[in-house]
Amino acid sequence: MVSLTAPYVAGFLAFREVPFLVDLVQRLQEKEPGLMPQVLLVDGNGVLHHRGFGVACHLGVLTELPCIGVAKKLLQVDGLENDVLHKEKIRLLQAGGDTFPLMGGSGTVLGMALKSHSHSTKPLYISVGHKISLEAAVRLTQCCCRFRIPEPVRQADIRSREHIRRTLGHLRPSEPGQARDPGPVSTEMAWPLEGLHRQLHHRSQKAHCPKACPKGGPGEPTDRSGPQQRPQDRLGGSQEQQSQFWSGGDGVP
């Protein structure tokens, strides 16, 4: 758990989050050097950015590790727009692994739109962060996808939400309509959960206790036609720890 003090400013996400990420990498290097990753997948953009230097670029330069920007939504820069033409290109993506280039008005290819799962209707937007080619970045991201979101990003989100659920669970009423716990309100949130942090901080200003987690979460399989795996089969842990953890979220196409 970390306390985010820098405000969120569009285009400057790195100044809010990267210091904590660099600290995590440095601690891993000191305590478990054998577990140091060969490449980092970052929930954000690399060169697909207003200044050509997004959070994946910042993190790569400061850690000297190859980094890939993996964004869920198109950042509309250099003439790129989520317009009718763009949506038609998305519609033409047929199978998992299909792509089309994101070429800006300057003629520069800033990234690739990737259909990461055969049953997903929304592409990922892959861009170079540091020390990796765009082709390799797309291929590696695709290889990491069991669902729409690559597993390193998806698992980081799942596990951070579970940590918050355990940490702040005592603030939740046990039954609908029951009075909330009058104990102190915590506004400290883990760094990957921007939306949840802002929501809880806003509620703390009104002297209300936050919910443990917004309804829904990542990880629901995109293919709903076949039998579903139980959450504990995927992540381990008891049924109680994993209950109601897979509804909605970015695992849904």
Side-chain angles (χ1 to χ4, degrees):
M1 300 279 283
V2 297
S3 180
L4 293 171
T5 56
Y8 173 76
V9 180
F12 292 90
L13 182 63
F15 295 96
R16 179 176 171 87
E17 296 190 352
V18 163
F20 302 108
L21 302 181
V22 171
D23 180 61
L24 288 175
V25 173
Q26 290 175 343
R27 279 191 284 167
L28 182 62
Q29 175 67 60
E30 294 170 1
K31 296 180 179 181
E32 297 286 350
L35 298 180
M36 280 294 290
Q38 294 176 302
V39 63
L40 298 175
L41 275 69
V42 183
D43 187 358
N45 291 290
V47 297
L48 178 56
H49 185 264
H50 298 91
R51 296 163 185 82
F53 201 81
V55 62
C57 299
H58 276 256
L59 184 60
V61 168
L62 293 177
T63 61
E64 297 184 352
L65 289 171
C67 279
I68 301 171
V70 182
K72 303 179 187 74
K73 296 182 180 179
L74 176 66
L75 185 61
Q76 302 185 58
V77 299
D78 193 20
L80 291 173
E81 295 184 9
N82 190 19
D83 53 14
V84 175
L85 178 59
H86 183 78
K87 292 176 181 178
E88 177 62 19
K89 291 180 179 180
I90 292 175
R91 191 186 66 80
L92 294 175
L93 298 176
Q94 298 296 315
D98 287 354
T99 62
F100 65 82
L102 301 169
M103 182 176 292
S106 64
T108 302
V109 175
L110 300 175
M112 297 286 282
L114 167 67
K115 185 179 179 71
S116 56
H117 191 280
S118 295
H119 299 281
S120 177
T121 59
K122 298 177 182 179
L124 296 175
Y125 297 97
I126 311 302
S127 57
V128 169
H130 187 60
K131 287 186 174 181
I132 195 167
S133 69
L134 182 57
E135 179 184 1
V138 170
R139 186 170 65 250
L140 181 57
T141 301
Q142 172 64 23
C143 289
C144 290
C145 290
R146 294 176 58 209
F147 304 94
R148 179 188 174 225
I149 308 301
E151 284 299 294
V153 176
R154 178 171 165 269
Q155 291 296 333
D157 192 27
I158 289 172
R159 292 166 189 265
S160 60
R161 287 176 184 270
E162 178 61 20
H163 178 72
I164 289 173
R165 187 188 299 276
R166 293 196 306 267
T167 303
L168 302 183
H170 68 284
L171 297 177
R172 300 179 64 186
S174 57
E175 296 180 1
Q178 180 178 339
R180 293 180 182 271
D181 189 323
V185 176
S186 171
T187 59
E188 292 187 342
M189 303 304 299
W191 56 263
L193 303 176
E194 288 299 318
L196 185 57
H197 173 271
R198 290 195 296 273
Q199 180 184 20
L200 295 182
H201 182 72
H202 175 71
R203 293 189 178 188
S204 70
Q205 298 298 316
K206 297 182 178 181
H208 288 296
C209 292
K211 295 182 180 179
C213 185
K215 183 177 180 181
E220 182 179 343
T222 52
D223 185 359
R224 302 186 184 183
S225 60
Q228 302 294 317
Q229 280 186 301
R230 295 181 302 167
Q232 59 267 39
D233 293 337
R234 289 197 285 267
L235 289 178
S238 68
Q239 177 66 29
E240 180 180 355
Q241 290 175 323
Q242 299 295 339
S243 63
Q244 297 180 354
F245 202 74
W246 301 91
S247 59
D250 291 311
V252 181

